[in-house]
Amino acid sequence: MMKRRDFINHVLLVSGGLLVSTRSVLGLSIPAKASIKGTVKASGKGVANVVVSDGFSVVKTDRKGRYEIPYHEQASLVFVSVPAGHAIPHENGIARFYQTIARKQRYDFELTPLQQDDSNHKFIVWADPQVKNEEDVRQMLTQAAPDVQQLVQSFGPDALVHGITVGDIVWDEHHLFSSYDKAVAATGVPFFQALGNHDMDYNKGGDDASDDTFQKLYGPTYYSFNRGKVHYVVLDDVRYLGKDRNYDGHLSEQQLAWLRKDLAFVPKDHLIVIGLHIPVHNAVANNQELYDILEDRKVHIMSGHTHYNLNVIKGNVYEHVHGTLCGAWWTGPVCGDGTPRGYGVYEVKGTELSWFYKSTGHPKEHQLSVYINDSQDEKRLIANVWNWDPEWKVEWWADGTYVGTLENAQGFDPLAYSLYLGKELPKKRGFAEPKETEHIFTAPLSPEMKSIKVVATDRFGNKYESTANVA
């Protein structure tokens, strides 16, 4: 996020026998040993204990709302960690909590106090909108955004809701960032953004240079904010390797150092929610370093990237790998694992979190699909419970009689299999393929069975059901 800008490097030019800083050559007026300072105010009064950072230093405002940060030559942005009890500053839904470091030394921030307690609130997670062309944009604007708008309206006029998009906002076509912005504006919800591999600038240099466009549009690639007793952190775990489109999952040491400083200001009993692009549990090379920093916290990680839905629990960390807003790249109604196009919906009550997956175009109750498969001379029940985790219970009935509990197994979703298997399918983007998943449930069916019902009960006691006729 905070990148080396060549014109403010420690490189010195020899001119007329004098050592002249490149900062002087380019006319930047901030002295080398200066500091950045300012005030955070709300309703005209300074706000104490607000965390302010440039991505390197992390400080708190004093009782009058004043802060001061030692100037760092690699810092390009200064930003506030929006405190609990204050509205999220935004411009048509795009969060604006930062300022670009330029020629001045003073950066003041104005916050707006909320008129209600924010201990209870909701948030939405979009993974991979990943629009490539105007047809993708059309679907995002006419299907995804209105779905969110309708859901938010159902929460009531006083609900506090924000969104986090966990990367791959676009699919390399940077002129379409403005279309994403329109979709966000249409939801009526302020959104924070994380960087995805398809949001980067390629072939401009190394990892530091790959974030230029993102930073100009959305600000820092790692930062934090607060609502109630939840501390939200957005991280950049996509490392560009400096050639073509090569990247890997990695968290920079500078970013991890910043995170340690940031969390030092957060009470240990607060819930930590982290948004990033690449799943941490299996695809971030130095994930153990992150786990070590978080070891004494209650943590939920929100990721995307994979175009399938998966829940992974590792000790104190629950990672939600989200099905995507675009499904299988805007080609059909489901992702490769059968998870419908959609997004995560989360409700906070104090430090307790509950959630469900919202399928675009379907009611909240649409949480599983049931199929009857009669291949291989045997009829089988196949149920896909896409947001399953080990605390769920999946049961079934045949012709009104309770049969028992279904156990999860690796398998394909029949709809995804029929839509995406093979180089010719789907016609729009033939690289999309069905994906084996562990949230499949199956059982053999007897010849006399006529109708099937499956009931899935989530970890919060909510029951969802789906039925199918055998014949």
Side-chain angles (χ1 to χ4, degrees):
M1 174 195 70
M2 303 301 168
K3 56 178 59 64
R4 295 173 178 83
R5 294 182 290 173
D6 291 340
F7 59 90
I8 60 171
N9 260 343
H10 293 287
V11 178
L12 297 178
L13 302 179
V14 179
S15 175
L18 297 176
L19 291 177
V20 182
S21 167
T22 53
R23 298 182 54 76
S24 300
V25 170
L26 294 179
L28 297 180
S29 59
I30 302 176
K33 295 184 179 180
S35 60
I36 289 173
K37 60 184 69 175
T39 304
V40 180
K41 293 183 177 181
S43 302
K45 297 182 179 180
V47 183
N49 299 318
V50 177
V51 172
V52 185
S53 178
D54 64 351
F56 295 88
S57 297
V58 182
V59 301
K60 263 189 176 183
T61 56
D62 66 13
R63 61 186 181 87
K64 294 185 177 180
R66 299 172 301 193
Y67 74 90
E68 184 170 356
I69 298 174
Y71 184 76
H72 196 292
E73 287 195 341
Q74 294 178 18
S76 58
L77 298 161
V78 58
F79 50 95
V80 294
S81 183
V82 180
H86 293 80
I88 295 168
H90 67 91
E91 180 183 358
N92 295 322
I94 301 299
R96 303 293 189 203
F97 52 94
Y98 57 90
Q99 296 184 48
T100 301
I101 298 172
R103 296 172 180 266
K104 61 182 182 177
Q105 290 177 251
R106 185 172 187 87
Y107 299 86
D108 297 325
F109 293 89
E110 184 71 29
L111 300 174
T112 301
L114 290 171
Q115 300 304 306
Q116 64 191 101
D117 182 16
D118 58 357
S119 296
N120 296 347
H121 62 271
K122 297 177 174 67
F123 66 95
I124 289 165
V125 176
W126 276 7
D128 303 70
Q130 204 164 337
V131 287
K132 184 71 171 177
N133 54 38
E134 291 303 324
E135 171 56 22
D136 297 348
V137 168
R138 184 192 67 78
Q139 293 185 67
M140 177 175 64
L141 290 173
T142 62
Q143 298 172 23
D147 193 273
V148 174
Q149 183 186 51
Q150 184 178 18
L151 177 71
V152 171
Q153 289 174 349
S154 73
F155 294 152
D158 296 327
L160 292 174
V161 188
H162 67 274
I164 306 171
T165 296
V166 292
D168 280 2
I169 297 169
V170 298
W171 188 355
D172 301 332
E173 302 295 334
H174 288 178
H175 68 281
L176 295 179
F177 278 122
S178 60
S179 297
Y180 163 80
D181 294 351
K182 290 178 183 177
V184 165
T187 69
V189 173
F191 266 75
F192 294 86
Q193 283 64 231
L195 178 76
N197 53 290
H198 285 293
D199 304 321
M200 297 192 297
D201 299 296
Y202 294 115
N203 297 325
K204 291 179 61 175
D207 185 54
D208 288 343
S210 68
D211 306 341
D212 281 348
T213 297
F214 182 94
Q215 288 197 61
K216 289 174 183 176
L217 294 173
Y218 304 116
T221 60
Y222 58 88
Y223 55 91
S224 65
F225 61 97
N226 305 272
R227 269 203 159 167
K229 290 186 177 182
V230 183
H231 185 67
Y232 293 88
V233 178
V234 172
L235 297 175
D236 170 13
D237 67 347
V238 184
R239 180 172 61 175
Y240 178 51
L241 300 177
K243 184 179 180 181
D244 298 324
R245 285 170 167 75
N246 292 331
Y247 66 90
D248 67 357
H250 184 270
L251 291 159
S252 68
E253 290 305 315
Q254 172 52 48
Q255 192 172 183
L256 294 172
W258 169 86
L259 180 61
R260 291 185 187 93
K261 297 173 186 177
D262 177 76
L263 291 178
F265 291 114
V266 180
K268 289 294 181 69
D269 63 341
H270 282 204
L271 177 65
I272 307 297
V273 173
I274 297 177
L276 39 69
H277 183 57
I278 295 176
V280 173
H281 72 98
N282 68 343
V284 172
N286 60 337
N287 57 10
Q288 190 57 52
E289 292 184 64
L290 178 63
Y291 292 144
D292 289 345
I293 294 172
L294 302 170
E295 65 179 352
D296 57 351
R297 303 281 189 167
K298 181 180 178 181
V299 182
H300 286 261
I301 293 178
M302 311 291 164
S303 59
H305 185 58
T306 61
H307 294 254
Y308 58 72
N309 202 80
L310 182 67
N311 294 310
V312 180
I313 303 170
K314 287 197 171 185
N316 63 312
V317 177
Y318 190 124
E319 181 165 5
H320 308 255
V321 183
H322 291 79
T324 55
L325 198 70
C326 70
W329 298 270
W330 300 107
T331 60
V334 296
C335 301
D337 67 336
T339 301
R341 291 182 188 175
Y343 50 94
V345 182
Y346 297 83
E347 182 172 5
V348 175
K349 293 183 177 180
T351 59
E352 295 302 313
L353 190 65
S354 61
W355 57 87
F356 66 91
Y357 185 88
K358 177 64 174 67
S359 301
T360 300
H362 295 275
K364 172 186 175 181
E365 290 72 25
H366 183 59
Q367 296 294 326
L368 69 157
S369 296
V370 174
Y371 307 91
I372 305 300
N373 189 320
D374 58 2
S375 61
Q376 299 177 349
D377 300 322
E378 179 189 50
K379 288 188 176 182
R380 294 190 69 84
L381 160 67
I382 298 177
N384 188 349
V385 186
W386 43 81
N387 210 23
W388 172 88
D389 72 25
E391 294 297 317
W392 284 61
K393 186 178 183 180
V394 183
E395 302 168 285
W396 68 298
W397 284 253
D399 301 323
T401 300
Y402 180 75
V403 180
T405 300
L406 291 168
E407 299 298 326
N408 69 300
Q410 287 284 126
F412 289 98
D413 176 84
L415 177 59
Y417 196 85
S418 66
L419 290 174
Y420 305 138
L421 181 66
K423 294 181 179 180
E424 302 302 319
L425 295 175
K427 290 184 178 180
K428 182 177 179 180
R429 285 163 183 152
F431 62 84
E433 289 290 329
K435 171 75 175 178
E436 269 198 307
T437 176
E438 64 183 44
H439 47 69
I440 293 293
F441 298 79
T442 184
L445 299 177
S446 301
E448 67 273 12
M449 292 179 178
K450 304 298 182 184
S451 64
I452 298 298
K453 179 177 73 172
V454 177
V455 176
T457 305
D458 70 13
R459 59 167 46 227
F460 309 110
N462 301 305
K463 294 181 180 294
Y464 309 102
E465 69 175 60
S466 184
T467 60
N469 292 322
V470 177

